[in-house]
Each structure stands twice: as C-alpha cells, then as structure tokens.
Amino acid sequence: MSQHVQVDAPRWTVLKFGGSSVSSRERWDNIGRIAAERAGEGRVLVVVSALSGVTNELQAIAGGVADARERVAGLVQRHCVFCTELGLLAEEVIGERLQVLRGLLDDPRANVRSLDWQAEVLAQGELLSSTLGAAYLRSRGLDFGWCDARDWLLARMLPNQSAWARRLSVSCHERSDADWRERFDAQPAPMLLTQGFIAAHPDGGSAVLGRGGSDTSAAYFGALLDARQVEIWTDVPGMFSADPREVPQARLLSRLDYAEAQEITTTGAKVLHPRSIAPCRDARVPIVIMDTAHPELAGTRIDREGQMVPGVKAVSQRNGIVLVSMESTGMWQQVGFLADVFELFKKHGLSVDLIGSSETNVTVSLDPGCTLVDGDVIASLSEDLSQVCGLKVIAPCAAITLVGLGMRSLLHRLSDIWDTFGRERVHLISQSSNDLNLTFVVDEAQAHGMIPKLHAALIAGGAMPVEDERVFGPSWTDLQGTASMRPPRWWENERQRRNLLERAALGTPAYAYHLPTVRARARSLKAVGGVDRCFYAVKANSHTEILRALVAEGFGLECVSQAELEHVFTAVPGLPPEQVLFTPSFAPIGEYRAALQRGVTTTLDNVEILERWPETFAGHRGWLRLDLGRGEGHHDKVKTGGKRSKFGLPLDRLEAFMASARRVGFVVDGLHCHLGSGVDSPAHWRQVLLELCGIAQSLGGIRSLDIGGGLPVPYRAEDAPFDVAAWEASLVAVREQYPDFELVIEPGRYLVAESGVLLARATQVVDKQGVRRVGLDVGMNALLRPTLYDAWHDVVNLDRGHGEAAEDDATGLFDVVGPICESGDVFGRSRRLPADTAPDDVMLLADAGAYGMSMANTYNLRPLPREDVLDD
C-alpha cells in the first residue's frame, strides 16, 4: 500500500473487544450500547476476538491432535448453544461457517498440516464470533454491518522471517491510500463489525497475527483509518502501576506516552499486547484501555500528550525466565564470538530478551512467554554451546522490572531498594538504553512477595513520587469500592478474644469454630431467590457440629468419598438420602455402588466408567458433571475446568456419554458444573447457568442444574464481601428465561471459612540477615492452604493486640513460619506484627475454618490440632 492519504470523511472510532467480552449475552448488550454511544461522534468499527477458549481449541486441532473431530463437535455445540442464548437460530446465522469448520478436517491439506491450512483453521473462531455478534446486534435494532478483515488487512512479508512467521505470526501494512479509504468508507452501515487476529496473505489465503493479534488488528485499522482513537475494551479499567491481584493499592495509570506504555506492556502487563502500540504511535492515533463491565470509568489513555515526567510508574514481574550463562576466557577481544553464539540461539528458534556481559561472561535471558523454551530445546542448545564456551542454565527465574522515565538519574534514590535485592540472589541487572526501565533477574522462589514491597516503597510510599494527577489515577481498591469494606470478624471483639486466650491456655495448636457465623452464612444463601436447593461441600470441614447446624438450616450435604458418606449418615441420624449428593473424582467403583445402594444422587463425569462397569449403573438415575472447556479461580490449583483439569466430561464427549447411558439404562436427570473456586464475578455463575440451560434443553429429560460452589471469602482487609445481591440478580435473570429447571448450589468454603481460627503459640523469634521470623508450634501439616495455594490468612498476636497491626514504631515485619522440615512451611511473609512479639505469645491464624483440619496430617509426626466449637 502507498503512503497514507488524508481523506475528508467522518472520523472512525475503533473498538476492540476480547474473548471474555464476547462470550455472554450481557457483554454483547454492553458492546451494542458502547458502539451506539460512539456512533454519535462518527463512524464505528468493532473488532472482536473469538469466544473465550475457542482459539486454544483451534490451535490444538491445527496441531494435529488425535481427537480433532470430537473437538470440532464440541466447538459446534458451544456456538449453537450460544446462539440459543442470544435468541438466534444457529443454522440460519452460522450454519455455513460451521460447515466450513467441519470441512477443514477433510481438506487434503489437513493430512500434512500445511501452514496455510493451519491459518484457515485458526481463523474460524473470529469469523464465528463476529458473524453471530453482528446478527445479534442487528436483532437488537442496531444498524450494524459485517465485513471480513481479510478484505482490508494485508500481511507483509518481512525479510529473514521463517515460513511459520509469514503465515501464523504476521505483521500487516499500516498505511492506506485514497482508494482503500474510499472503498472502506463506502460500506453503507454506520457501524461495522469485523474480526481481530486474521488478515489476508499475499497468495490470497488466510494469515493470522499470532498472540495478542486482536489488539494488533485494532491498531492496524486505527492507523489505516486515521481513527479518532482506538479503544481496547477488556475486563480491567486500564493499566496499573502493578498487578492489582497482587497489589490491591496499585494505581491506575491515567495517561501514558507511547514509549512508557511500550515498556510496561513488554515487561509484564497483559492488558495490551506490545505489538499494538507501534501502528498507533506512528499514525498518531490515541489508544484508550477501557473496562467492558464498567464503561463509565475513564481507563488509561496512551498518546503523545502523555506526561513523560521522571519517576517510577510501574513495577512488574515475569516468571518462568530461563538464564543461559556462557563463560569463556577466549571471548575477550575475540571478533565474532557473540555473532557465533547468537547464531546458535537462532538455530534453535530462541529469542534473547535481556543481555549482561563482562570480559569473560555473557548471560542472556529467554522469556517463555515469547518463545518456546522446553527441556529438549535447552538440551540441544547446551550441546551446541558447549563446543565454544562453558555453560550454566539457571531456571526458573523471575524478571522484576521498574518502569519510568529517567532511571539513570534516579539510581541514587534507590538505596532502600538495594537492601531488598541485597538479600536475594540477583543473577542479572539490565538497564535499558532508552532510560525507561531497570530489570533485576532473581531466583523465582526468592521473588515471592517482592512486588508489593517495591510498590509500597517506590509508588505508594512516595520514595520516588510522580505527583502529576494526570499520570496516576485512583487505586484498584478505590475503583472497586472495596476500601475497608470487610466488616469486623467475630473474634475481633474483646469478649471473644478473652475466650480464645482461655482456649489457648488449654493447649495449642487448636481450631475454634464459631457456629453463629456458620448459621449466618447459611441463611444468607438460603434467602437467595432463584436457588431451589443448597448443599454443603463436606470436604471443606466435616466437623459433626457444623454438619448438624447446616442441615438444621435446610442444607443438604455433598460428599466426595464413601467415608464422607458414612460419616454424614452417622453424624446426622435420620438424614434422608435425597439430601445427599455424591460427586466423586476417579473413585474406586465400589464407592459408586455403595452410594447408589444408599439411594443418594450420584454424579458421573466420564464415558469410560459406563462402558467398563455397565451393570453398576443399569436401572439408576444420576447427574452428569460437565467441563465447559475453561477453568476459573484464585489459583491454578483450584481451577476445575479445561483440558488440564481432571474434572468433568468435555462437551465433545457429551453425545457419546448419552448414547452409552441409553445403552446401559442409566437415566441422566441433572447436569453439574463447577469450574473453580474464589470467583468473585456474578457473571461467572450466570454464564455457567446459561450454558447448562442451553445444553439441558438440547438433551431433554433434565430436571436439575447444579452450578457448584466456589463463592469467594474476604481473606484480606481490602477484600469486599461477596456481593450476594448481585449474584442473586444474575441467577434470577436466567431463571426467568428458563423456569423449568431446578437450580442447585453446593458451596463449602463460603459457609465455614470465616467461622474458624487456628490458635498457636510462638516458639522462637529469630533475625537472619535482616529477615525477622516468628515460629509457631503449628505448621503446614495443620493448615496447608498457604503452601498449596499461596493462600492468605491474617496473622494476629492475641497477647499484644488483635487485628493486623497498623504501621508504626511499635510494629515490625515478620515472616511467620512453622516447625515442619520443609521450605514451604510458611504462613506469611512480611506480616506486620507487634515489634515485641516473643516466644509463648498466643497467635491466631484467621479464616481457617475451611480446608484446614480437613486437610491436616501428621507429617513429621506432629500431632493434629484440637477442635473446639463455640456457640455464642
């Protein structure tokens, strides 16, 4: 394309929406409202990604997985179900596109998985989402047109690119001529919808833009159209000075220059892909990052007017870094040594990120987020490099980066920060030549907890302030409205504190459970409209008194083992079988037989169990647990959906399961789905319920829909309690649409976590090279969650004040550890406690009522804690 020509035409606004923003009816309604508002300022182009998780499935299919046909069937069903949710007829709207998707498996190119065939496969996700989205928006009365991005974006063939990059990770032309603009403007609809991620290849086929392609597509369109601005709509309200999940006090970056934004995205921020900035920068088109769920928030604006004032704007961390350290006395003044070395990295397809060098050593980092770094590749590289130098591979590491203007001039003000890094093992320090970032590479295990410290010292603490309010906006906590919203906990009043001290005098460690708190949580859920039956997940805490209290509040009990089944029927005499669920995972077949013989509702989640033991299930009724292809939650280890999860039947096996059930004589009258724990968005359960309703309608004969549990708990002071009212509203809206199904929930942690505390005594207080540690007489054997999930539990010294102590001269930072002979035996790092904390002080670990005692063990032959129940 030739040089851009300014055309006298209405200005365009480009809006990009990602996978999470196009995967529910509610979000498409938001897209429609936002587009209609922008249409008042000119013409609108909406660029969309595929539905969440679809591109991952298409990548697997393009990669030649054995079950490709089953995966395609699952994608077909998911899009058909979504069409039903949108009130569309799938065959009319996307029937032809689904035929294309199916037909790609029979394409002769599939046998060799040619790159052009792979690109066609990968393109189908955006083509499907944009087609059904345009149809839905038109059905809502909006004047939307649809266009194929491959008619407008043309891939550029760059020198020295691999054949793979020229098809599956392309760059595009970003300057238009008058003819291009005239043709684009001639499309009649005032609002257009197109695809991200895809472009035309010069040979006429499809090409894809690679990771973050939808962001980059929007930037290309913005540059080609000389747009008023490009808006990237996502699930957060902009870029922040740190990851808000780790640093709730992280500040919104209200306005940035392109260069600083480039550094922040390149060094860890995931909200915007780094490749999307250059096209807009060169065309002088502003980029604005906005929150789809909260369009009223201003977001982050990136343009040439961004305030390039000195100071640290952001701190970030990238894990999984691999360091390759090359040592050779022969490299000094050896011409071409580095060229020879880097040629070997190129040979193995490895991109070098950071570089540090001396007369006899060159150390480089490899970022697995940008290149394929696995054991085989590293072994092959090592074999080649060993021919020219000594080699050491250091992994896993973390790269911690400070971003801001004028890092050189600010080095003298980093003295307090050197102390932080001085206690860690720093392998590499890299300062950018543009004076915008400073990066430290340390062992990944040592990096834990450093980002909050650095943010507190450099940004929140004002050690290196950027005072201009046009740079820093409100904190994440302020935006979420969660500042100081967690109400006082039951043990924080003086009477209960004395009571707990008396309990500790009887011996520690000991758990204490407050039954009024359990009852209050149960009643809050029983009052939720739209929910027909509530079950308690016994695995969270199986104490007899808690089970009886919850059954008295009208809860059933959900079990995952035969031992739990036997326990609940013993603990609650006369408990009717219909008040018990059995939802095992890979349990011995005898446990299923025992559950069915007791008459409890039993859940299956795979076809193989029916095929291997048909006689066990013949003549019985039960539920089917589904995996909707994705997992969510506060930690990877609590995500219970997606290919890597052992839970649930994938949608592409649903037809096979139902056929096998019919052959066996097993009647499926309920669907179950639990995708993870600690999910704080009501939209999550709404979406799960909508998908289950669609599937249930297609199957017929389904009476019950179980959306699982996983409701979050406010473990930290800045955490807001779960918004039960908003959750209720999201469920009621779906129930009004699908009134014929019974809605079931099965929370565990939400009911009991806040009721329990773990009492312990301090054993020793030790200072080791500036790190103060307080040891307890209880360890990870009694409360495994911090070790297993990096979970937070407040730590309180009951003898010297209760509640996390405020920062003053009478407090200090302590790592809180246990007596177990494992490095992971740590309850918390850098916790603020009274400075005079001493051996024999009574310590409290808060919110430990769920998955505490139920996971406890006698590792190191440490005894189990005592359990006390408080009923006042």
Side-chain angles (χ1 to χ4, degrees), residues 176-502:
S176 63
D177 55 27
D179 178 64
W180 187 100
R181 180 65 183 271
E182 184 178 350
R183 288 188 296 111
F184 198 92
D185 286 344
Q187 298 176 92
M191 297 180 284
L192 293 176
L193 196 147
T194 192
Q195 311 79 40
F197 186 60
I198 66 175
H201 193 274
D203 70 5
S206 296
V208 298
L209 278 64
R211 296 175 67 250
S214 292
D215 286 355
T216 312
S217 294
Y220 284 138
F221 275 115
L224 288 163
L225 293 168
D226 187 29
R228 190 177 65 84
Q229 64 187 30
V230 171
E231 299 179 7
I232 306 295
W233 289 85
T234 181
D235 53 3
V236 293
M239 286 187 186
F240 283 80
S241 55
D243 185 343
R245 294 169 297 182
E246 189 173 0
V247 185
Q249 292 303 321
R251 299 279 296 277
L252 176 71
L253 297 169
S254 301
R255 198 158 192 176
L256 292 169
D257 180 87
Y258 294 108
E260 286 182 315
Q262 187 79 59
E263 293 293 334
I264 293 171
T265 59
T266 303
T267 58
K270 303 299 185 185
V271 69
L272 181 67
H273 196 276
R275 288 177 59 191
S276 64
I277 295 177
C280 290
R281 177 198 63 207
D282 296 343
R284 297 176 177 264
V285 173
I287 302 173
V288 185
I289 303 170
M290 306 283 283
D291 187 343
T292 310
H294 299 284
E296 73 280 2
L297 300 178
T300 297
R301 185 177 180 86
I302 302 167
D303 58 19
R304 291 190 179 276
E305 296 359 79
Q307 300 300 300
M308 291 283 284
V309 296
V312 177
K313 308 281 179 59
V315 294
S316 63
Q317 178 174 329
R318 289 175 291 158
N319 290 333
I321 303 296
V322 176
L323 286 183
V324 180
S325 179
M326 297 161 283
E327 192 96 20
S328 174
T329 56
M331 73 174 63
W332 185 60
Q333 293 187 339
Q334 179 181 335
V335 176
F337 176 82
L338 287 179
D340 293 340
V341 165
F342 289 135
E343 185 63 31
L344 295 175
F345 283 89
K346 178 180 178 182
K347 169 186 173 183
H348 293 285
L350 296 171
S351 175
V352 170
D353 184 16
L354 304 171
I355 304 174
S357 65
S358 66
E359 289 85 350
T360 61
N361 179 275
V362 175
T363 298
V364 302
S365 74
L366 309 174
D367 185 347
C370 300
T371 186
L372 177 62
V373 181
D374 60 28
D376 292 339
V377 172
I378 293 297
S380 299
L381 173 69
S382 301
E383 184 177 348
D384 286 348
L385 285 174
S386 65
Q387 305 301 313
V388 295
C389 62
L391 186 70
K392 183 179 181 182
V393 176
I394 308 168
C397 295
I400 296 174
T401 301
L402 315 179
V403 176
L405 178 65
M407 297 304 298
R408 292 191 196 95
S409 64
L410 295 170
L411 288 176
H412 69 284
R413 303 179 66 181
L414 285 169
S415 57
D416 292 339
I417 305 307
W418 300 127
D419 290 339
T420 301
F421 284 110
R423 295 195 294 268
E424 318 299 344
R425 186 179 180 188
V426 179
H427 298 293
L428 179 67
I429 300 176
S430 175
Q431 182 182 348
S432 65
S433 59
N434 62 7
D435 203 22
L436 284 175
N437 83 54
L438 187 64
T439 298
F440 305 84
V441 181
V442 301
D443 288 331
E444 190 173 295
Q446 298 296 326
H448 180 75
M450 292 184 68
I451 294 298
K453 293 179 185 178
L454 291 170
H455 189 275
L458 296 177
I459 298 175
M464 298 175 64
V466 180
E467 298 293 351
D468 198 318
E469 292 184 357
R470 289 173 293 175
V471 176
F472 279 155
S475 71
W476 173 263
T477 299
D478 292 337
L479 286 170
Q480 300 301 305
T482 58
S484 304
M485 287 184 65
R486 185 179 69 181
R489 289 164 290 186
W490 63 271
W491 48 267
E492 290 182 303
N493 68 70
E494 188 62 26
R495 183 178 67 84
Q496 290 293 358
R497 188 176 78 90
R498 289 197 304 269
N499 190 3
L500 291 175
L501 286 171
E502 292 172 1

Side-chain angles (χ1 to χ4, degrees), residues 486 489 491 634 678 711-721 748-750 752-754 756 783 785 789 791-795 804 831 845-852:
R486 185 179 69 181
R489 289 164 290 186
W491 48 267
H634 64 86
L711 306 180
V713 169
Y715 286 104
R716 297 174 183 256
E718 62 269 15
D719 291 345
R749 179 176 54 163
Y750 180 83
V752 296
E754 296 163 284
L783 183 59
R785 295 186 72 252
Y789 305 133
W792 178 280
H793 292 271
D794 283 346
V795 182
E804 288 270 350
R831 298 302 186 89
L845 297 170
D847 304 318
Y851 303 105

